[in-house]
Amino acid sequence: MATATARANLALVKYWGKRDATLNLPAAGSLSLTLDRLRTRTSVELHDGPNDELLIDGQPQSGKALSRISRFADLVRGPLGRSERIRVVSHNEFPTAAGLASSASAFAALAVAVPAAFEVELSDKARSILARRGSGSAARSIFGGFVRMNAGAHADGSDAYAEPLAADCPMHAVIAVAQAEAKKIGSTDGMEHTRATSPYHAAWLQLVERDLGEVQVALQSGDWDHLALLVEGNCLAMHADAMAARPGVLYFRPPTLLAIEAVRSLRQSGTPVFFTIDAGPHVVAFTPPSEVSRIAAHFAQLPGLAEVLTSGPGAAAQLEITP
Ligand code: PMV
């Protein structure tokens, strides 16, 4: 049996659009921070039964969730010529129903644990490429701290992997988890629909290339004002791209707008803080460690939130060594 822990990440420069849907190749790069609080621990065991099995937080899974795992395991079994089935037991240390980037930590943990269960050792680069096949953002969760995903140019995806970024900007996250029904449009469907129908998509992809360079410079110099302009601008441009699709894809809910307002008014009164939002209604505020509790208290007063989570930067995905 092999057990791995991985953490979700939140993107400062978003991944929104694929250049190849089958190999899950991004059309542009992205840049994220891995978060300690959003942790998934996954054990993978080989067995001789007829089917792969998946338990998430004690609940046996079937249908789409299970077949996604089977297809992922085939990426490891196929080239090895192995046919054993896998039993996956996964535990999320954060609310999965809320749609908080759980596919990133889930597939990063699997990209470490599945090869290990088959006694194959992979480099971090190979793990990142494998994780990408499960979920684009999972490629970034192989690494800790700030991470850059390369879009790559090769048709086989061999250069589409993530790498850690050397930046010691002290950044924590405060997450306003909005009360919401389960996510209606998943990120893959949302980004494919946007690519196919949004008149803003080409402009969005051009913007990403520019933002990637500028965010890296601003992280090196710890320029919070410039980071606020770039990261909020990138997030809102991603959502503008999605909203301009036909029909428009709108992830914001009323609490999303209240949390945006809260972040902006805190910034106006001098607090270094800025927000980002993934393909869902939750708002993530990035801020130095000294401001975390004040921002969390501010968020806690907003109506329509299920909870407020806080997190520091997280480490790379790891294999547990069992004695
Ligand atoms: O990894 P996916 O396919 O769930 O896509 C993630 C997309 C966003 O979370 C919206 C942006 C990102 O870069 O994480």
Side-chain angles (χ1 to χ4, degrees):
M1 186 169 80
T3 301
T5 299
R7 293 152 188 84
N9 65 78
L10 280 152
L12 283 75
V13 179
K14 302 293 191 191
Y15 154 52
W16 195 252
K18 300 178 198 284
R19 66 181 164 95
D20 179 314
T22 311
L23 292 177
N24 214 19
L25 300 176
S30 54
L31 192 157
S32 60
L33 178 64
T34 301
L35 294 180
D36 190 46
R37 173 76 176 78
L38 308 182
R39 221 174 300 164
T40 299
R41 185 169 181 266
T42 299
S43 298
V44 177
E45 174 171 38
L46 306 186
H47 71 98
D48 295 324
N51 299 313
D52 292 321
E53 293 166 24
L54 171 64
L55 260 91
I56 300 179
D57 295 331
Q59 299 294 318
Q61 308 286 315
S62 56
K64 269 193 182 171
L66 181 59
S67 51
R68 201 168 166 195
I69 297 294
S70 283
R71 282 200 306 276
F72 185 80
D74 288 342
L75 299 172
V76 178
R77 285 189 287 238
L80 295 172
R82 301 279 294 261
S83 58
E84 296 101 313
R85 300 290 102 188
I86 58 169
R87 180 176 300 115
V88 177
V89 178
S90 194
H91 178 69
N92 284 311
E93 293 176 15
F94 58 97
T96 10
L100 270 174
S102 59
S103 68
S105 52
F107 283 101
L110 283 166
V112 173
V114 175
F118 284 96
E119 290 175 354
V120 175
E121 237 181 88
L122 293 186
S123 65
D124 281 343
K125 174 179 158 185
R127 284 170 166 171
S128 180
I129 287 174
L130 177 61
R132 189 203 74 226
R133 297 291 298 271
S135 151
S137 55
R140 301 186 306 239
S141 276
I142 295 299
F143 301 98
F146 292 104
V147 178
R148 182 182 168 143
M149 175 74 193
N150 303 307
H154 298 334
D156 65 359
S158 55
D159 54 353
Y161 56 88
E163 291 174 294
L165 262 187
D168 59 4
C169 183
M171 196 178 286
H172 282 221
V174 184
I175 308 172
V177 182
Q179 275 166 6
E181 53 293 357
K183 186 157 57 168
K184 290 225 171 68
I185 304 173
S187 47
T188 292
D189 290 345
M191 64 178 86
E192 279 300 277
H193 174 64
T194 304
R195 181 191 56 74
T197 68
S198 172
Y200 297 169
H201 199 57
W204 154 252
L205 292 175
Q206 272 177 16
L207 175 79
V208 170
E209 286 310 318
R210 201 178 74 203
D211 283 348
L212 277 172
E214 292 193 21
V215 167
Q216 279 177 78
V217 172
L219 280 175
Q220 304 296 347
S221 58
D223 185 342
W224 283 84
D225 286 342
H226 199 204
L227 281 170
L229 192 71
L230 294 166
V231 173
E232 290 188 2
N234 186 270
C235 159
L236 293 173
M238 176 202 116
H239 284 275
D241 185 23
M243 285 182 209
R246 305 280 170 96
V249 180
L250 183 59
Y251 290 108
F252 295 0
R253 307 291 304 141
T256 316
L257 296 176
L258 293 177
I260 289 176
E261 286 288 308
V263 169
R264 289 195 155 172
S265 81
L266 280 161
R267 191 164 68 244
Q268 249 161 17
S269 56
T271 308
V273 62
F274 53 84
F275 67 81
T276 194
I277 302 157
D278 274 352
H282 320 300
V283 175
V284 181
F286 290 110
T287 196
S290 57
E291 307 294 339
V292 166
S293 52
R294 212 156 57 83
I295 290 165
H298 213 82
F299 274 169
Q301 286 172 0
L302 299 177
L305 295 189
E307 63 180 318
V308 178
L309 302 173
T310 63
S311 180
Q318 284 142 340
L319 193 61
E320 274 177 28
I321 310 296
T322 28

